[in-house]
Structure formats: structure tokens, C-alpha cells
Amino acid sequence: MTGSTYGYVRVSTQEQNEARQMDAMRELSIPEKNIFMDKLSGKDFNRPQYKRLVRRCKPDDLLYIKSIDRLGRNYEEILEQWRILTKEKRVDIVVLDMPMLDTRRGKDLMGTFLSDIVLQVLSFVAENERTSIRARQAEGIAAAKARGVKFGRPPTPLPDNFHQVHKAWRSKRLTLNQAADACAMPVSTFYHKALQFENIAKI
């Protein structure tokens, strides 16, 4: 008897667009109620939709994913999730970006052996690519900092009267609250800016 067909979609952050993966699932005529999507990092498997999907899966169901790295964050985790789905849940998986990873084909020993080899190679490549991306990002940030590039929001410029008010505060003509009010700043911000200004003046 033919089982149900499911699709799983994951994007790593709330800002990333899932449209490409969703379009691929709809082209396969997968019912919307059978498409599970998480907008969470792959750093762990505390993903509510993925967990719901695994609980629902039963033998002879079919699961589509766009690419192998949707299943996990690293080589070991991808292999473990593949094992759970195909061996424990006895679900067929189709990886759309890699047609060779289609467990419906080659159910004999040789077919399973070849599929496992391809899976391990692709899992390793996916993890290696993520590691390389992180390394390139770190190198790029380090090089930019060496060139004097500043990261984060630019500091808010000091109000025109800051130096005069700071001098009055330090000479005790103004209290801290009065000085902060005069500069239209929260007390903590005025105090922080005052210390920064004084440290720079010492250099």
C-alpha cells in the first residue's frame, strides 16, 4: 500500500527566504498540510516541525528534501537522521538536488551500498563547505579590521553642548542628572560618554 508524501523545508534564520524550497515542494503536488517548515538554525534538532514530521512518518511514506544539508548541521548528524528515517521509520527519501539519493531506487544490496556511499560523500562535502564558508568569513572580517573597518552601528555623535556640560558636571556646578538632562541623554549614556571622552583626552 502506498504511504503518504511529505516535504521538509528549513531555512537557517527568520530572515532567509524559503520560497525556492517551497516552490520545489509544490511542483511535486505535495499537499500543503504535509509540508513541514522550520525557520531555525541547524545547530541542533530542537526544531518543532521536524520533530512533528518524524513522529508522523510511518513505513512506506515518502519524504522530499531540497538538499542533503536540510537534515543536519554536520556529517554525523545528517547520517544519523538519515538512519532514523530510512532504517527505524522505514521511510523513503528523495533529495531533489541529488537524484542519485533516492531510496526508492536500487532496493537491493548493491543499490543500498551505492546510496550509502553517495550519502556519506555528500554529507562530508556539505559540512566541509560550511566550515570553509565560516573560515572565509572570519578571514574577511580580520582583514577588514586590519584595514580599519569598523563593525556594528556607528556611534551616535555627541551633542554640541556636551563638552561644556561635561566641564560643568566635573566642576560640580551640575549634578549627573542635570548634566544628562542638558544633553538629552539617559544618565547611564551621559556617564559612559563622559568616561570615554576623558579616556581619549588622556591619550
Side-chain angles (χ1 to χ4, degrees):
M1 189 172 79
T2 304
S4 300
T5 300
Y6 296 101
Y8 179 66
V9 171
R10 178 176 67 80
V11 288
S12 297
T13 68
Q14 292 291 334
E15 289 75 26
Q16 285 185 338
N17 193 331
E18 71 279 4
R20 189 174 71 94
Q21 294 180 63
M22 290 296 292
D23 287 346
M25 299 301 160
R26 290 179 181 128
E27 286 176 8
L28 295 162
S29 300
I30 300 173
E32 290 284 334
K33 64 183 178 66
N34 285 0
I35 300 175
F36 293 78
M37 180 177 69
D38 281 310
K39 280 195 171 187
L40 296 167
S41 170
K43 68 183 179 181
D44 58 50
F45 266 78
N46 294 321
R47 299 184 291 179
Q49 294 305 309
Y50 180 81
K51 287 183 174 182
R52 281 187 61 212
L53 168 65
V54 173
R55 285 197 300 268
R56 185 174 295 187
C57 284
K58 58 187 184 302
D60 298 322
D61 283 347
L62 174 61
L63 172 63
Y64 286 96
I65 56 175
K66 189 75 172 69
S67 57
I68 193 64
D69 60 358
R70 299 304 84 192
L71 281 183
R73 61 182 174 175
N74 58 40
Y75 175 78
E76 289 82 9
E77 210 151 44
I78 292 170
L79 294 178
E80 176 62 10
Q81 294 306 312
W82 186 277
R83 184 194 64 77
I84 290 170
L85 289 165
T86 60
K87 303 296 193 296
E88 293 183 10
K89 306 293 289 189
R90 290 187 289 152
V91 171
D92 277 316
I93 303 178
V94 177
V95 180
L96 297 175
D97 285 353
M98 179 53 63
M100 288 183 68
L101 282 179
D102 181 344
T103 60
R104 297 171 301 178
R105 300 163 51 185
K107 292 282 189 179
D108 59 7
L109 182 61
M110 182 56 71
T112 302
F113 176 68
L114 291 174
S115 181
D116 285 349
I117 289 177
V118 172
L119 171 65
Q120 292 194 40
V121 170
L122 288 178
S123 301
F124 174 78
V125 169
E127 181 181 1
N128 194 55
E129 177 61 18
R130 281 191 296 273
T131 302
S132 297
I133 289 171
R134 287 195 295 268
R136 289 195 297 269
Q137 287 173 337
E139 289 169 2
I141 291 170
K145 286 182 176 178
R147 296 195 304 271
V149 175
K150 303 293 184 184
F151 290 86
R153 292 184 298 178
T156 304
L158 295 174
D160 294 338
N161 65 339
F162 179 82
H163 298 89
Q164 183 179 359
V165 172
H166 173 264
K167 186 174 181 181
W169 169 60
R170 279 307 188 193
S171 62
K172 301 190 183 304
R173 297 198 304 275
L174 292 174
T175 66
L176 179 59
N177 285 338
Q178 289 171 334
D181 286 342
C183 291
M185 289 178 172
V187 171
S188 59
T189 302
F190 176 83
Y191 187 73
H192 177 68
K193 295 291 185 183
L195 293 182
Q196 281 186 328
F197 171 70
E198 291 164 9
N199 287 333
I200 293 172
K202 290 176 184 176
I203 298 175

